[in-house]
Amino acid sequence: MNVESFFSKTTKEALKNDPPGEWMPLLPDDCIRLSSGFPDPQLVPVEPIGEAVDRLLKDERDLPLHYLGSPAMEKLKEQIQKRSIERGMRVTEEELLITAGACQAIDLIARILIDEETVVAIESPTYMEALEVFQNYTTHFMSIPIDEGGLQTNLLEEMLAERKKAGLSMPRFLYTIPTFHNPTGTSMKEERRKHVLELAEKYNFLILEDDAYGELHFNKQSTSLKELDTQGRVLHVGSLSKVVAPGMRIGWIAAAPAFITALAWFKKDLDHPFAEATMASYLESINLEKRLETLRATYHAKCSVLLDALKQYLPTKAISWYVPEGGYFVWIKVEGVDTVDLLSDALKEGVSYVPGKFFFLDQQEGKEYLRLSFSYANQEEIVEGVKKLGKVMERILS
Amino acid sequence: MNVESFFSKTTKEALKNDPPGEWMPLLPDDCIRLSSGFPDPQLVPVEPIGEAVDRLLKDERDLPLHYLGSPAMEKLKEQIQKRSIERGMRVTEEELLITAGACQAIDLIARILIDEETVVAIESPTYMEALEVFQNYTTHFMSIPIDEGGLQTNLLEEMLAERKKAGLSMPRFLYTIPTFHNPTGTSMKEERRKHVLELAEKYNFLILEDDAYGELHFNKQSTSLKELDTQGRVLHVGSLSKVVAPGMRIGWIAAAPAFITALAWFKKDLDHPFAEATMASYLESINLEKRLETLRATYHAKCSVLLDALKQYLPTKAISWYVPEGGYFVWIKVEGVDTVDLLSDALKEGVSYVPGKFFFLDQQEGKEYLRLSFSYANQEEIVEGVKKLGKVMERILS
């Protein structure tokens, strides 16, 4: 029996790509993980979540363990709506859908918007998991470079104009992480945010705004594209993974009601009553704004430690980076070095990072880049990790 | 801006159907729920799950709250593999994928197998949620009637032979709930199980075996299709929703490694570390076999109460049902009565059921049927509910 013969066309097509997630070698146990985009373990609210479960099961008994109809679960939506409004977004109940993390959100959006021949505009580089999701639906992409001011909207405009002129298919949506971008740590400048919305109107495309890191600013809050959107073109994806705990898998989509209806259709019964009710019970017990302040201060401090260490321990020639204003990541260019080759040396030395190539549609473009994360390792590990990385780089560059 | 103009073709097509899940009116608060296919609230292990969370967070701290890599989470797979083997299935680690309930499992299978023109064979009636999932991918179905011995495989054989002769597309897979079928409560006879596997080989199709109720037998365990399968044609879907708690959303797929690889591809990061680790911690603390015995005894007793009440309180003419040997449901035929019309009277009287039409591709076929569930209501409520139903039926039949 030939298993492959039963696969759908899109499955056969998707399986031609590299398997998703298989983008890192196994890390040795004692390796300093500057690769992991996980929250700081000290900031994961272990006891409070345990207490939230106890309270929830005491108050609601079996309700959150059934399939539908826990009052706490309903409350989660209100909490997220309230927070969105506090941030300046206009979001009604009909404009909000809770999802199992940002990943399910992105997948659902891909599902309702992408046909086999659909063109998707992406940033270059971009979040690899989102790219892999889109590649499950289409092979047609338009890739727009990023600089320290985020997406280069002037280049986007040129490319759109050229496509239009050449009679090519126009993108159905743009996937962007405008604030504390993964992997580059950059944020889209205010005027570019306005520009990209103008372009969306002029060329009639939608915007999938991935805002997973949006609350984690070091200095000032950015204006989300959703706040600037007057036409309902922005599908805003939020997540509590970076702010509370990724293992809870709580995310959401804020978008015009007609989108939410279609998204809910394909989401169907994929609700997670226990996880959602637990999160609501937890959120009710804390002051979220205060928690966010702690998170921002901690990550800001860790980022500063990383940046200082980079200056102190990396070779001065051939190396450059963007200074992030929030989020989890620093994006580094090592001219003339293949960062995939460098990784095996780094792992031997005891430090990990993510090679840049995994963040590009055309992986060749990412050859000289790497992503460091300051979120997971502690300050001492960060310094130690950068020292190790510096040693490996000295060797390869000399 | 016209939102619909951005939708993919399959989305536009799917939205033409009735919205999923919208198959029941809101139930009055004091209504006796013979409609709900939920576990008995008394059997949902509220305290043990609370304790499982406490233990888990004490042992593993932040690990199950991160994104990957909790030892308990890994253990869940071993526990499910062990149980599958105890039941007589040959399942290796590479043949198992944990999912967010049976619903995600069915959706993932649909995703890797169904093209727009793919024919899917279904039982008639069938589980409406699965049907809705398939309808998100295709409009081509082959519908095979069920009787008290389950799927009528002789009719399936005739239909397959006719299609072949007529040069029509053959089904890529058959979706079946062979054991304690939803909604009919029937089980496929042993010889039909063998027959359907022979047909799968002869006509080269796969079998999606939905085994959500398979452990809940009143007398003897059925042999699953997966156990009988020597060719790797069966994709077996299991779930802990009916056995532990649906709100935890834990299910799985057991299938040949090449299927699992493709399914894992599309599942991507949609793991639920906290829920999975909690379930593993819970399962480790209990004797599952003993728990199953309690469940079987309880549901058996409740089913007997329901069947006795049916005999006692329903009108004797025009009404018939199958006697289930396990599961959650009794399927009732009321000749000459439209069960959708009857429902509004029943709700006024204070009892609910699910009208048969929702379980059919051609809803007209289900007009005279209704599904009663003995899982959720307690014994007194069951008797009371059937009395009410009898009253309403007397009125409409007289």
Side-chain angles (χ1 to χ4, degrees):
Chain A
M1 200 189 86
N2 175 6
V3 168
E4 285 71 21
S5 69
F6 292 99
F7 289 155
S8 65
K9 276 174 292 189
T10 50
T11 302
K12 283 179 194 151
E13 198 58 48
L15 289 173
K16 286 183 195 157
N17 295 319
D18 282 332
E22 297 223 343
W23 39 272
M24 281 291 286
L26 264 185
L27 304 183
D29 268 349
D30 55 353
C31 181
I32 295 175
R33 290 166 169 259
L34 302 184
S35 55
S36 298
F38 299 156
D40 188 320
Q42 301 297 322
L43 293 176
V44 174
V46 178
E47 279 80 15
I49 285 179
E51 287 157 22
V53 169
D54 290 344
R55 224 168 24 244
L56 175 71
L57 295 181
K58 196 160 160 268
D59 290 350
E60 299 197 353
R61 301 286 313 158
D62 57 302
L63 286 182
L65 296 171
H66 279 290
Y67 198 57
L68 281 169
S70 141
M73 209 181 134
E74 297 301 312
K75 212 173 283 165
L76 180 63
K77 215 174 145 179
E78 288 166 31
Q79 291 163 329
I80 288 172
Q81 189 190 351
K82 183 168 162 279
R83 180 73 199 151
S84 304
I85 291 169
E86 281 167 8
R87 287 185 58 194
M89 295 176 236
R90 292 165 303 281
V91 180
T92 66
E93 207 192 319
E94 290 69 37
E95 291 171 326
L96 199 57
L97 183 74
I98 305 293
T99 60
C103 191
Q104 191 192 32
I106 292 170
D107 187 55
L108 284 170
I109 292 172
R111 192 151 175 180
I112 68 156
L113 298 182
I114 307 182
D115 287 307
E116 264 175 273
E117 65 279 10
T118 300
V119 177
V120 177
I122 55 169
E123 295 173 321
S124 179
T126 190
Y127 175 43
M128 74 276 263
E129 308 253 356
L131 181 56
E132 284 171 4
V133 169
F134 302 144
Q135 286 178 318
N136 284 344
Y137 296 88
T138 182
T139 52
H140 306 285
F141 293 94
M142 201 182 133
S143 206
I144 306 107
I146 275 204
D147 65 16
E148 60 190 339
L151 181 75
Q152 300 190 50
T153 53
N154 56 334
L155 293 183
L156 171 61
E157 181 162 26
E158 278 172 29
M159 290 163 81
L160 288 166
E162 273 169 35
R163 285 188 86 92
K164 185 100 186 176
K165 211 173 138 195
L168 294 171
S169 299
M170 301 302 283
R172 190 163 290 169
F173 69 90
L174 163 72
Y175 171 69
T176 173
I177 311 169
T179 310
F180 318 134
H181 180 260
N182 181 5
T184 66
T186 62
S187 282
M188 209 190 288
K189 288 182 195 163
E190 198 77 14
E191 62 268 27
R192 292 191 187 176
R193 292 181 187 238
K194 286 176 192 145
H195 191 199
V196 79
L197 282 161
E198 285 161 22
L199 293 176
E201 185 174 350
K202 181 168 174 193
Y203 291 101
N204 193 32
F205 59 87
L206 304 171
I207 297 175
L208 196 182
E209 175 180 40
D210 182 344
D211 193 44
Y213 303 90
E215 295 264 44
L216 298 176
H217 51 82
F218 301 154
N219 301 297
K220 68 175 200 3
Q221 179 83 48
S222 299
T223 312
S224 72
L225 296 176
K226 178 80 185 150
E227 286 171 72
L228 299 171
D229 176 28
T230 55
Q231 292 204 317
R233 291 194 179 269
V234 174
L235 293 94
H236 178 95
V237 170
S239 164
L240 291 172
S241 290
K242 311 300 169 182
V243 163
V244 180
M248 301 292 293
R249 305 276 74 216
I250 304 293
W252 63 90
I253 303 168
F259 288 120
I260 297 296
T261 304
L263 291 162
W265 186 294
F266 285 90
K267 187 189 164 202
K268 295 181 62 67
D269 276 353
L270 290 169
D271 268 320
H272 294 81
F274 181 62
E276 293 176 29
T278 297
M279 182 59 89
S281 168
Y282 163 75
L283 286 177
E284 205 175 36
S285 73
I286 63 152
N287 180 331
L288 181 59
E289 190 51 54
K290 227 172 137 183
R291 176 172 167 83
L292 285 168
E293 278 165 27
T294 308
L295 263 60
R296 289 167 190 147
T298 308
Y299 290 128
H300 192 180
K302 290 171 83 170
C303 180
S304 301
V305 166
L306 175 68
L307 293 174
D308 287 347
L310 294 179
K311 273 182 253 168
Q312 200 172 343
Y313 300 112
L314 293 202
T316 44
K317 66 161 190 182
I319 295 184
S320 58
W321 57 84
Y322 297 135
V323 173
E325 284 161 34
Y328 274 16
F329 308 114
V330 175
W331 183 241
I332 295 182
K333 183 171 189 181
V334 197
E335 266 169 67
V337 170
D338 183 331
T339 56
V340 170
D341 295 344
L342 187 73
L343 182 62
S344 49
D345 289 348
L347 291 178
K348 268 180 226 149
E349 197 65 39
V351 62
S352 69
Y353 60 79
V354 183
K357 74 164 195 172
F358 298 109
F359 302 97
F360 289 86
L361 184 65
D362 172 4
Q363 300 205 335
Q364 277 302 313
E365 291 177 37
K367 227 176 139 179
E368 299 178 318
Y369 294 89
L370 62 90
R371 188 193 79 178
L372 291 185
S373 167
F374 49 83
S375 60
Y376 186 73
N378 66 35
Q379 295 197 3
E380 291 68 39
E381 289 168 337
I382 289 173
V383 175
E384 197 53 39
V386 174
K387 264 192 210 170
K388 289 174 188 289
L389 196 58
K391 218 189 275 182
V392 177
M393 283 182 176
E394 289 285 4
R395 230 182 286 150
I396 211 160
L397 285 168
S398 64
Chain B
M1 201 189 84
N2 175 6
V3 167
E4 284 72 20
S5 69
F6 292 99
F7 288 155
S8 65
K9 276 174 294 189
T10 50
T11 302
K12 282 179 195 153
E13 199 57 49
L15 289 173
K16 285 183 197 157
N17 295 319
D18 282 332
E22 297 222 345
W23 39 272
M24 280 292 285
L26 264 184
L27 304 184
D29 267 350
D30 55 353
C31 180
I32 296 176
R33 290 165 170 263
L34 301 185
S35 54
S36 298
F38 298 155
D40 188 321
Q42 301 298 323
L43 292 176
V44 174
V46 178
E47 278 81 14
I49 285 179
E51 287 158 20
V53 170
D54 291 343
R55 224 168 25 243
L56 175 70
L57 295 181
K58 197 161 159 268
D59 290 352
E60 299 198 352
R61 302 285 314 157
D62 56 305
L63 287 183
L65 297 170
H66 279 289
Y67 199 55
L68 281 167
S70 141
M73 209 181 134
E74 297 301 313
K75 213 173 281 165
L76 180 63
K77 216 175 142 178
E78 289 167 30
Q79 290 163 330
I80 288 172
Q81 188 191 350
K82 184 169 162 280
R83 180 73 199 151
S84 305
I85 291 169
E86 280 167 10
R87 288 186 57 194
M89 295 176 234
R90 289 166 304 281
V91 180
T92 65
E93 207 194 320
E94 291 68 38
E95 290 171 328
L96 199 58
L97 183 74
I98 305 293
T99 60
C103 191
Q104 190 192 33
I106 292 170
D107 187 55
L108 283 170
I109 291 172
R111 193 150 174 181
I112 67 156
L113 297 182
I114 308 181
D115 288 308
E116 265 174 89
E117 66 280 9
T118 300
V119 178
V120 176
I122 55 170
E123 295 173 321
S124 180
T126 190
Y127 174 43
M128 75 276 265
E129 307 252 357
L131 182 56
E132 284 171 3
V133 168
F134 302 144
Q135 285 177 317
N136 284 344
Y137 296 89
T138 183
T139 53
H140 306 286
F141 293 93
M142 202 181 131
S143 207
I144 305 108
I146 275 205
D147 66 14
E148 60 189 339
L151 181 75
Q152 299 191 51
T153 53
N154 56 335
L155 292 184
L156 172 61
E157 181 162 26
E158 278 172 28
M159 289 164 81
L160 288 167
E162 272 169 35
R163 284 189 87 91
K164 184 101 187 175
K165 210 172 139 198
L168 294 171
S169 299
M170 301 303 283
R172 189 163 292 169
F173 69 90
L174 163 73
Y175 171 70
T176 173
I177 310 169
T179 311
F180 318 133
H181 181 259
N182 181 5
T184 66
T186 60
S187 282
M188 209 190 286
K189 286 184 196 161
E190 198 78 13
E191 62 269 26
R192 291 192 187 175
R193 291 181 189 239
K194 286 177 191 143
H195 191 200
V196 78
L197 281 161
E198 285 161 21
L199 293 175
E201 184 174 350
K202 180 166 176 197
Y203 290 99
N204 192 33
F205 60 85
L206 303 172
I207 297 175
L208 197 181
E209 175 180 39
D210 182 344
D211 192 45
Y213 304 91
E215 296 264 43
L216 298 177
H217 50 83
F218 301 154
N219 300 298
K220 69 173 199 5
Q221 180 82 47
S222 300
T223 312
S224 71
L225 297 177
K226 177 80 185 152
E227 286 171 72
L228 300 171
D229 176 29
T230 55
Q231 292 204 316
R233 290 194 179 269
V234 175
L235 294 92
H236 178 94
V237 170
S239 164
L240 291 172
S241 290
K242 312 300 169 185
V243 163
V244 181
M248 300 293 294
R249 305 276 74 217
I250 305 291
W252 64 90
I253 303 168
F259 289 120
I260 297 296
T261 303
L263 292 161
W265 187 293
F266 285 91
K267 186 189 167 205
K268 294 179 64 66
D269 276 351
L270 290 170
D271 268 320
H272 293 80
F274 181 63
E276 293 176 27
T278 297
M279 183 59 90
S281 168
Y282 163 75
L283 287 177
E284 205 176 37
S285 73
I286 64 152
N287 181 330
L288 181 60
E289 191 49 54
K290 226 170 137 183
R291 176 171 168 81
L292 285 168
E293 279 165 25
T294 308
L295 262 60
R296 289 168 191 147
T298 308
Y299 290 128
H300 192 180
K302 290 170 84 169
C303 181
S304 302
V305 167
L306 176 67
L307 294 174
D308 288 347
L310 293 179
K311 275 180 252 168
Q312 199 171 344
Y313 300 113
L314 293 203
T316 44
K317 67 161 190 185
I319 295 185
S320 58
W321 56 84
Y322 297 135
V323 173
E325 285 162 33
Y328 275 16
F329 308 115
V330 175
W331 183 241
I332 295 183
K333 183 171 189 181
V334 197
E335 266 169 68
V337 170
D338 183 332
T339 57
V340 170
D341 295 344
L342 186 73
L343 182 62
S344 49
D345 289 349
L347 291 179
K348 267 179 226 147
E349 196 66 37
V351 63
S352 69
Y353 61 80
V354 183
K357 74 163 194 171
F358 298 109
F359 301 97
F360 288 86
L361 184 65
D362 173 5
Q363 300 204 336
Q364 277 302 313
E365 291 177 37
K367 227 175 139 178
E368 299 179 318
Y369 294 89
L370 62 89
R371 189 193 77 178
L372 292 184
S373 167
F374 49 83
S375 59
Y376 187 73
N378 65 36
Q379 295 196 5
E380 291 68 38
E381 289 168 338
I382 289 172
V383 175
E384 197 53 39
V386 173
K387 264 193 211 168
K388 289 174 187 288
L389 196 58
K391 218 188 280 180
V392 177
M393 284 179 176
E394 290 285 5
R395 230 182 288 150
I396 211 159
L397 285 169
S398 63

